Amino acid sequence: RNDQFRIQNKNNNNNTTTTTMGNDDAIDEEKLVLCCALCCANLSTYPTADCLGCSGKIGLCCLNAEFCCKPGAPCLPCCCLGPACEFDGCSCVNLQAHCCCCVASAALPCNDEVPVAVSIMGLTLYPKCGCMVPMKEIMNR
């Protein structure tokens, strides 16, 4: 993806750490592990230290509304709320909600962040068969 950004944090020893995420929302979709999915809607786990907090975005056509209460996430225009317009590959309807290690996503039609998948209780049947398949493997197909 071309729309990467970096988050820089200083720790107690004044060392700078940099985190690069694949897009400008609070969830790095490539780190998700698919639990349940049907076509363009899915439930995933977010098994990383980044899972603390909650965030979400909902969009209709290219107009999005976002909220984020997550440490290290990019600031939104109104503290933890913000409107946005996206004109690159947007779906008619999209949503993503995250609370701690649970993430729910949906898009119509499917897009890069929400690919077509079929999965039941961690067993993925399409587009790749496997158990607890990382979303990164599905997104790269």
Side-chain angles (χ1 to χ4, degrees):
R1 293 181 179 169
N2 295 331
D3 52 347
Q4 290 188 343
F5 74 96
R6 296 178 184 274
I7 300 170
Q8 292 190 346
N9 297 316
K10 289 199 177 212
N11 60 19
N12 293 337
N13 299 331
N14 261 349
N15 295 332
T16 302
T17 59
T18 303
T19 303
T20 303
M21 295 176 69
N23 55 28
D24 63 351
D25 59 24
I27 301 294
D28 185 358
E29 285 79 10
E30 292 186 350
K31 293 181 180 178
L32 296 177
V33 176
L34 194 60
C35 292
C36 296
L38 182 59
C39 296
C40 299
N42 64 57
L43 295 173
S44 305
T45 59
Y46 197 39
T48 67
D50 293 342
C51 73
L52 295 176
C54 60
S55 66
K57 66 179 179 179
I58 186 164
L60 183 59
C61 294
C62 294
L63 299 174
N64 288 330
E66 302 180 48
F67 73 91
C68 186
C69 296
K70 182 177 173 183
C75 290
L76 296 173
C78 300
C79 294
C80 62
L81 300 172
C85 285
E86 295 179 0
F87 296 104
D88 54 333
C90 57
S91 295
C92 294
V93 177
N94 65 46
L95 83 92
Q96 182 179 68
H98 150 255
C99 186
C100 294
C101 64
C102 298
V103 179
S105 303
L108 186 64
C110 292
N111 57 27
D112 290 339
E113 291 183 358
V114 186
V116 174
V118 176
S119 183
I120 302 167
M121 295 175 53
L123 179 62
T124 302
L125 305 172
Y126 179 83
K128 175 183 180 175
C129 290
C131 185
M132 301 303 287
V133 175
M135 189 67 85
K136 180 179 183 178
E137 293 181 20
I138 295 171
M139 292 170 72
N140 290 336
R141 295 193 149 249

